[in-house]
Short mmCIF file of all heavy atoms in Angstrom, two decimals:
data_model
loop_
_atom_site.label_atom_id
_atom_site.label_comp_id
_atom_site.label_asym_id
_atom_site.label_seq_id
_atom_site.Cartn_x
_atom_site.Cartn_y
_atom_site.Cartn_z
N TYR F 6 -73.43 22.68 152.10
CA TYR F 6 -72.83 23.31 153.28
C TYR F 6 -71.69 22.45 153.83
O TYR F 6 -71.57 21.27 153.49
CB TYR F 6 -73.89 23.53 154.39
CG TYR F 6 -74.29 22.26 155.11
CD1 TYR F 6 -73.54 21.79 156.19
CD2 TYR F 6 -75.38 21.51 154.70
CE1 TYR F 6 -73.88 20.61 156.85
CE2 TYR F 6 -75.73 20.34 155.35
CZ TYR F 6 -74.98 19.89 156.42
OH TYR F 6 -75.30 18.71 157.06
N SER F 8 -69.68 21.70 157.79
CA SER F 8 -69.84 21.90 159.22
C SER F 8 -68.75 21.15 159.97
O SER F 8 -68.00 20.36 159.37
CB SER F 8 -71.22 21.42 159.69
OG SER F 8 -71.33 20.02 159.55
N ASP F 21 -76.39 6.42 162.68
CA ASP F 21 -77.75 6.91 163.01
C ASP F 21 -78.13 8.09 162.11
O ASP F 21 -79.26 8.16 161.63
CB ASP F 21 -77.80 7.39 164.47
CG ASP F 21 -77.86 6.23 165.44
OD1 ASP F 21 -78.00 5.07 164.98
OD2 ASP F 21 -77.75 6.49 166.66
N ILE F 22 -77.19 9.03 161.93
CA ILE F 22 -77.46 10.21 161.11
C ILE F 22 -77.80 9.77 159.68
O ILE F 22 -78.77 10.24 159.08
CB ILE F 22 -76.25 11.18 161.10
CG1 ILE F 22 -76.10 11.84 162.47
CG2 ILE F 22 -76.38 12.23 160.01
CD1 ILE F 22 -74.79 12.60 162.68
N HIS F 25 -81.20 7.71 159.55
CA HIS F 25 -82.35 8.61 159.73
C HIS F 25 -82.56 9.47 158.48
O HIS F 25 -83.69 9.63 158.01
CB HIS F 25 -82.16 9.52 160.94
CG HIS F 25 -83.22 10.58 161.04
ND1 HIS F 25 -84.39 10.41 161.73
CD2 HIS F 25 -83.31 11.82 160.46
CE1 HIS F 25 -85.15 11.49 161.59
NE2 HIS F 25 -84.51 12.37 160.83
N SER F 26 -81.45 10.01 157.97
CA SER F 26 -81.54 10.91 156.80
C SER F 26 -82.13 10.16 155.61
O SER F 26 -82.99 10.70 154.90
CB SER F 26 -80.15 11.44 156.43
OG SER F 26 -79.62 12.18 157.50
N ARG F 29 -85.95 9.59 156.23
CA ARG F 29 -86.73 10.83 156.19
C ARG F 29 -86.68 11.47 154.79
O ARG F 29 -87.70 11.92 154.27
CB ARG F 29 -86.17 11.80 157.24
CG ARG F 29 -86.82 13.14 157.32
CD ARG F 29 -88.07 13.08 158.19
NE ARG F 29 -88.83 14.30 158.09
CZ ARG F 29 -89.06 15.13 159.10
NH1 ARG F 29 -88.59 14.86 160.30
NH2 ARG F 29 -89.79 16.20 158.93
N ASN F 30 -85.51 11.50 154.21
CA ASN F 30 -85.39 12.11 152.88
C ASN F 30 -86.18 11.33 151.85
O ASN F 30 -86.78 11.93 150.94
CB ASN F 30 -83.92 12.19 152.46
CG ASN F 30 -83.12 13.16 153.31
OD1 ASN F 30 -83.69 13.91 154.09
ND2 ASN F 30 -81.81 13.12 153.18
N ASP F 33 -89.59 12.47 152.07
CA ASP F 33 -89.78 13.89 151.74
C ASP F 33 -89.33 14.25 150.32
O ASP F 33 -89.36 15.43 149.94
CB ASP F 33 -88.97 14.77 152.72
CG ASP F 33 -89.57 14.74 154.13
OD1 ASP F 33 -90.68 14.20 154.28
OD2 ASP F 33 -88.91 15.25 155.05
N VAL F 35 -86.29 14.20 149.21
CA VAL F 35 -84.99 14.89 149.28
C VAL F 35 -83.90 13.91 148.85
O VAL F 35 -83.93 12.73 149.24
CB VAL F 35 -84.72 15.41 150.71
CG1 VAL F 35 -83.31 15.97 150.84
CG2 VAL F 35 -85.76 16.47 151.09
N LEU F 39 -73.64 13.07 151.47
CA LEU F 39 -73.05 13.49 152.74
C LEU F 39 -71.64 12.90 152.81
O LEU F 39 -71.48 11.68 152.68
CB LEU F 39 -73.90 12.97 153.91
CG LEU F 39 -73.34 13.21 155.32
CD1 LEU F 39 -73.29 14.71 155.64
CD2 LEU F 39 -74.22 12.49 156.36
N PHE F 46 -68.24 17.70 158.08
CA PHE F 46 -69.22 17.20 157.12
C PHE F 46 -69.28 18.15 155.94
O PHE F 46 -69.13 19.37 156.10
CB PHE F 46 -70.62 17.16 157.74
CG PHE F 46 -70.81 16.16 158.83
CD1 PHE F 46 -70.95 16.58 160.15
CD2 PHE F 46 -70.86 14.80 158.56
CE1 PHE F 46 -71.13 15.67 161.17
CE2 PHE F 46 -71.04 13.87 159.58
CZ PHE F 46 -71.18 14.31 160.88
N GLN F 48 -72.31 18.42 152.96
CA GLN F 48 -73.56 17.80 152.52
C GLN F 48 -74.24 18.64 151.45
O GLN F 48 -74.22 19.87 151.50
CB GLN F 48 -74.53 17.64 153.71
CG GLN F 48 -75.77 16.83 153.33
CD GLN F 48 -76.68 16.55 154.52
OE1 GLN F 48 -76.74 17.34 155.46
NE2 GLN F 48 -77.41 15.45 154.47
N ILE F 50 -78.07 18.83 149.82
CA ILE F 50 -79.46 18.36 149.84
C ILE F 50 -80.20 19.05 148.72
O ILE F 50 -79.96 20.23 148.43
CB ILE F 50 -80.14 18.61 151.21
CG1 ILE F 50 -79.99 20.06 151.66
CG2 ILE F 50 -79.61 17.66 152.27
CD1 ILE F 50 -80.77 20.39 152.94
N CYS F 60 -85.76 20.84 155.99
CA CYS F 60 -84.67 19.89 156.28
C CYS F 60 -83.42 20.66 156.74
O CYS F 60 -82.80 20.29 157.75
CB CYS F 60 -84.38 19.09 155.00
SG CYS F 60 -83.11 17.83 155.20
N ARG F 63 -83.73 21.94 160.27
CA ARG F 63 -83.50 20.87 161.27
C ARG F 63 -82.01 20.57 161.39
O ARG F 63 -81.48 20.43 162.50
CB ARG F 63 -84.23 19.58 160.87
CG ARG F 63 -85.75 19.64 160.96
CD ARG F 63 -86.37 18.24 160.93
NE ARG F 63 -85.91 17.40 159.83
CZ ARG F 63 -86.40 17.40 158.59
NH1 ARG F 63 -87.39 18.24 158.29
NH2 ARG F 63 -85.93 16.60 157.67
N ILE F 64 -81.34 20.48 160.25
CA ILE F 64 -79.90 20.17 160.25
C ILE F 64 -79.12 21.25 161.01
O ILE F 64 -78.23 20.94 161.81
CB ILE F 64 -79.39 20.03 158.80
CG1 ILE F 64 -79.95 18.74 158.17
CG2 ILE F 64 -77.87 20.04 158.75
CD1 ILE F 64 -79.69 18.60 156.67
N GLN F 65 -79.47 22.52 160.78
CA GLN F 65 -78.72 23.61 161.43
C GLN F 65 -78.91 23.62 162.95
O GLN F 65 -78.05 24.10 163.67
CB GLN F 65 -79.14 24.95 160.83
CG GLN F 65 -78.59 25.14 159.42
CD GLN F 65 -79.08 26.43 158.77
OE1 GLN F 65 -80.28 26.63 158.59
NE2 GLN F 65 -78.17 27.30 158.42
N ARG F 66 -80.03 23.07 163.40
CA ARG F 66 -80.30 23.02 164.86
C ARG F 66 -79.65 21.82 165.53
O ARG F 66 -79.64 21.72 166.74
CB ARG F 66 -81.82 22.89 165.10
CG ARG F 66 -82.63 24.15 164.96
CD ARG F 66 -84.00 23.98 165.62
NE ARG F 66 -84.76 22.85 165.09
CZ ARG F 66 -85.61 22.93 164.07
NH1 ARG F 66 -85.81 24.07 163.47
NH2 ARG F 66 -86.28 21.87 163.65
N ASP F 67 -79.12 20.90 164.75
CA ASP F 67 -78.67 19.62 165.29
C ASP F 67 -77.37 19.78 166.09
O ASP F 67 -76.36 20.27 165.56
CB ASP F 67 -78.45 18.63 164.13
CG ASP F 67 -78.39 17.19 164.60
OD1 ASP F 67 -77.64 16.92 165.56
OD2 ASP F 67 -79.08 16.36 164.00
N PRO F 68 -77.36 19.36 167.36
CA PRO F 68 -76.16 19.55 168.19
C PRO F 68 -75.02 18.58 167.86
O PRO F 68 -73.94 18.70 168.45
CB PRO F 68 -76.69 19.29 169.62
CG PRO F 68 -77.85 18.37 169.43
CD PRO F 68 -78.47 18.74 168.11
N ARG F 69 -75.25 17.66 166.93
CA ARG F 69 -74.17 16.72 166.59
C ARG F 69 -73.12 17.36 165.68
O ARG F 69 -72.12 16.73 165.35
CB ARG F 69 -74.75 15.45 165.97
CG ARG F 69 -75.50 14.63 167.01
CD ARG F 69 -76.27 13.51 166.39
NE ARG F 69 -77.47 13.99 165.69
CZ ARG F 69 -78.37 13.21 165.14
NH1 ARG F 69 -78.21 11.90 165.17
NH2 ARG F 69 -79.43 13.72 164.54
N HIS F 70 -73.35 18.58 165.27
CA HIS F 70 -72.34 19.35 164.54
C HIS F 70 -72.55 20.83 164.83
O HIS F 70 -73.54 21.22 165.46
CB HIS F 70 -72.36 19.04 163.03
CG HIS F 70 -73.61 19.45 162.32
ND1 HIS F 70 -73.72 19.48 160.95
CD2 HIS F 70 -74.83 19.83 162.78
CE1 HIS F 70 -74.91 19.87 160.60
NE2 HIS F 70 -75.61 20.07 161.69
N ALA F 90 -81.38 8.93 148.34
CA ALA F 90 -82.04 9.66 149.43
C ALA F 90 -80.98 10.32 150.31
O ALA F 90 -81.23 11.36 150.91
CB ALA F 90 -82.91 8.72 150.26
N MET F 91 -79.81 9.73 150.39
CA MET F 91 -78.61 10.37 150.94
C MET F 91 -77.44 9.41 150.76
O MET F 91 -77.32 8.41 151.45
CB MET F 91 -78.76 10.74 152.44
CG MET F 91 -77.65 11.63 152.99
SD MET F 91 -77.21 13.06 151.92
CE MET F 91 -78.77 13.97 151.82
P1 FAD T 1 -86.08 15.30 166.89
O1 FAD T 1 -85.89 13.87 166.48
O2 FAD T 1 -87.43 15.75 167.42
O3 FAD T 1 -84.90 15.74 167.88
C1 FAD T 1 -84.89 16.98 168.62
C2 FAD T 1 -83.48 17.59 168.63
O4 FAD T 1 -82.50 16.62 169.01
C3 FAD T 1 -83.08 18.10 167.26
O5 FAD T 1 -82.35 19.30 167.45
C4 FAD T 1 -82.19 17.02 166.73
O6 FAD T 1 -81.25 17.56 165.81
C5 FAD T 1 -81.52 16.49 167.98
N1 FAD T 1 -81.17 15.07 167.90
C6 FAD T 1 -81.88 14.09 167.29
N2 FAD T 1 -81.26 12.91 167.42
C7 FAD T 1 -80.15 13.14 168.17
C8 FAD T 1 -79.10 12.32 168.66
N3 FAD T 1 -79.07 11.00 168.40
N4 FAD T 1 -78.12 12.90 169.36
C9 FAD T 1 -78.12 14.21 169.64
N5 FAD T 1 -79.10 15.05 169.20
C10 FAD T 1 -80.09 14.51 168.48
N6 FAD T 1 -82.03 14.89 158.67
C11 FAD T 1 -82.75 14.76 157.55
O7 FAD T 1 -83.99 14.63 157.62
N7 FAD T 1 -82.14 14.76 156.32
C12 FAD T 1 -80.81 14.91 156.17
O8 FAD T 1 -80.30 14.89 155.04
C13 FAD T 1 -80.02 15.08 157.34
N8 FAD T 1 -78.68 15.24 157.27
C14 FAD T 1 -77.96 15.45 158.41
C15 FAD T 1 -76.59 15.68 158.32
C16 FAD T 1 -75.85 15.92 159.46
C17 FAD T 1 -74.36 16.19 159.34
C18 FAD T 1 -76.47 15.89 160.74
C19 FAD T 1 -75.66 16.13 161.97
C20 FAD T 1 -77.83 15.65 160.83
C21 FAD T 1 -78.59 15.42 159.69
N9 FAD T 1 -79.96 15.17 159.75
C22 FAD T 1 -80.70 15.05 158.60
C23 FAD T 1 -80.66 15.01 161.03
C24 FAD T 1 -81.40 16.30 161.42
O9 FAD T 1 -80.43 17.25 161.83
C25 FAD T 1 -82.39 16.05 162.55
O10 FAD T 1 -81.76 15.50 163.66
C26 FAD T 1 -83.49 15.10 162.14
O11 FAD T 1 -84.04 15.48 160.91
C27 FAD T 1 -84.61 15.04 163.19
O12 FAD T 1 -85.07 16.33 163.39
P2 FAD T 1 -86.28 16.67 164.40
O13 FAD T 1 -86.47 18.13 164.46
O14 FAD T 1 -87.46 15.82 164.00
O15 FAD T 1 -85.64 16.25 165.72
#
Side-chain angles (χ1 to χ4, degrees):
Y6 75 85
S8 66
D21 284 352
I22 290 169
H25 172 90
S26 299
R29 178 84 190 243
N30 293 349
D33 290 350
V35 172
L39 175 65
F46 292 109
Q48 187 175 30
I50 52 174
C60 182
R63 290 196 309 275
I64 289 171
Q65 287 176 300
R66 282 197 303 269
D67 197 311
R69 290 170 286 185
H70 65 168
M91 191 46 60

